[in-house]
């Protein structure tokens, strides 16, 4: 049978201290398991609660040394809670930033989106400025806020991009060269994230990476569906006109 003498012999101070130990170990277990972030209010709050719960028993057992250590522990945890609370008060997304968040990481909490936005910069770009050059590495992931860009492949214009479009998203995770040249038409305002800094952030921030990956895959998948529909539509046109039956040579 399980010996319950230890649990049954706990006094009030020991029982409260045990609750503090559970809070402390629970917070760090959740941190190691990835269920909680070290910079989250929940983690700092659990540490603050653990310090408060364990204080009476530790001070009774170890005197002023424990009191000083617990005071420092509580101060650090409280500073974390206050810092995160103050930071969240500044985490609102501005009117000009909201479309950027929607284009990159829709659905991501504003405080996490703010981490991503903090890497970027707004730029007014002159006409004819290349945002990506075919065959060369893409240095920036860019969001077109105002203006237009032309897309060229093999020096032939194949498309136009307007406000709300992304440039550089296809090669962001592969690191491959640009598949086309994208050049501004007229004065253009963009929000840009340097890809080397962005990749470094994504390597350490799993939730931001997951949101960005999911969104970009959705964008690329949507383009593939539209391209497939266009090919099917052209095939039907060829079949109606008889062009689809021509296999080579002259028709009799």
């Amino acid at each position: 049978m399980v010996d319950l003498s230890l649990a049954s012999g706990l006094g009030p101070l020991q029982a409260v201290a045990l609750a503090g130990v559970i809070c402390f170990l629970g917070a760090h277990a959740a941190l190691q398991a990835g269920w909680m972030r070290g910079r989250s209010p929940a983690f700092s709050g659990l540490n603050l609660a653990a310090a408060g719960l364990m204080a009476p028993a530790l001070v009774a057992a170890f005197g002023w040394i424990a009191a000083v250590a617990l005071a420092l522990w509580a101060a650090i945890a409280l500073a974390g809670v206050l810092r995160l609370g103050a930071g969240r008060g500044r985490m609102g997304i501005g009117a000009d930033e909201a479309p950027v968040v929607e284009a990159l990481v829709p659905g991501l909490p504003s405080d996490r989106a703010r981490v991503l936005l903090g890497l970027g910069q707004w730029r007014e770009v002159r006409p004819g400025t290349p945002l990506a050059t075919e065959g060369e590495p893409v240095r920036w992931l860019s969001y077109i806020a105002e203006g237009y860009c032309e897309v060229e492949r093999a020096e032939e214009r194949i498309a136009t991009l307007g406000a709300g479009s992304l440039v550089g998203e296809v090669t962001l995770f592969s690191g491959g060269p640009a598949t086309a040249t994208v050049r501004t038409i007229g004065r253009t305002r963009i929000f840009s994230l340097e890809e080397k800094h962005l990749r470094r952030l994504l390597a350490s921030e799993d939730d931001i990476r997951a949101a960005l990956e999911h969104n970009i895959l959705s964008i690329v998948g949507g383009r593939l569906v539209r391209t497939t529909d266009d090919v099917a539509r052209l095939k039907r046109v060829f079949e109606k006109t008889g062009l689809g039956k021509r296999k080579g040579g002259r028709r009799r």
Side-chain angles (χ1 to χ4, degrees):
M1 295 179 64
V2 179
D3 184 5
L4 299 177
S5 59
L6 179 61
S8 62
L10 289 178
L13 288 181
Q14 291 79 10
V16 172
L18 179 60
V21 171
I22 292 172
C23 280
F24 178 79
L25 294 179
H28 285 269
L31 178 68
Q32 294 301 320
W35 301 335
M36 186 180 295
R37 304 188 63 83
R39 290 177 289 179
S40 68
F43 183 77
S44 296
L46 282 173
N47 273 278
L48 182 59
L53 290 169
M54 294 168 64
L58 290 177
V59 170
F62 299 101
W64 67 269
I65 297 177
V68 171
L70 285 165
L72 291 174
W73 181 12
I76 292 170
L78 180 60
V81 172
L82 294 176
R83 178 182 61 82
L84 290 166
R88 283 178 177 269
R90 298 190 297 269
M91 289 300 177
I93 304 298
D96 57 341
E97 295 170 326
V100 181
V101 173
E102 185 63 25
L104 292 174
V105 285
L108 194 69
S110 60
D111 59 321
R112 303 300 295 150
R114 173 59 61 193
V115 175
L116 180 64
L117 293 173
L119 285 182
Q121 57 182 281
W122 289 97
R123 293 191 291 162
E124 296 282 346
V125 185
R126 295 179 178 178
T129 301
L131 302 183
T133 302
E134 184 178 1
E136 296 184 7
V138 181
R139 293 186 53 228
W140 300 86
L141 172 63
S142 301
Y143 169 83
I144 303 173
E146 300 174 15
Y148 295 89
C149 294
E150 60 182 1
V151 182
E152 297 178 354
R153 187 173 294 160
E155 299 184 354
E156 180 180 351
R157 184 170 175 173
I158 59 173
T160 301
L161 301 177
S165 300
L166 294 175
V167 178
E169 77 283 3
V170 174
T171 60
L172 173 62
F173 295 103
S174 68
T179 56
T181 296
V182 182
R183 187 178 288 107
T184 57
I185 304 172
R187 197 165 189 84
T188 307
R189 184 170 183 255
I190 64 173
F191 180 83
S192 296
L193 295 147
E194 192 166 4
E195 290 205 352
K196 65 178 182 180
H197 297 317
L198 180 56
R199 290 194 191 99
R200 193 176 303 133
L201 173 73
L202 298 179
S204 61
E205 305 291 346
D206 293 338
D207 58 336
I208 298 177
R209 180 183 180 90
L212 186 58
E213 270 188 342
H214 180 268
N215 188 49
I216 288 178
L217 286 174
S218 297
I219 293 172
V220 174
R223 290 176 186 164
L224 181 60
V225 169
R226 289 192 294 273
T227 300
T228 303
D229 289 343
D230 290 342
V231 170
R233 201 158 33 244
L234 287 172
K235 182 180 179 181
R236 288 194 296 269
V237 171
F238 288 158
E239 289 174 349
K240 288 181 180 178
T241 59
L243 295 175
K245 300 177 181 179
R246 191 179 296 179
K247 299 184 181 295
R250 295 182 179 179
R251 294 182 66 186
R252 294 181 179 178

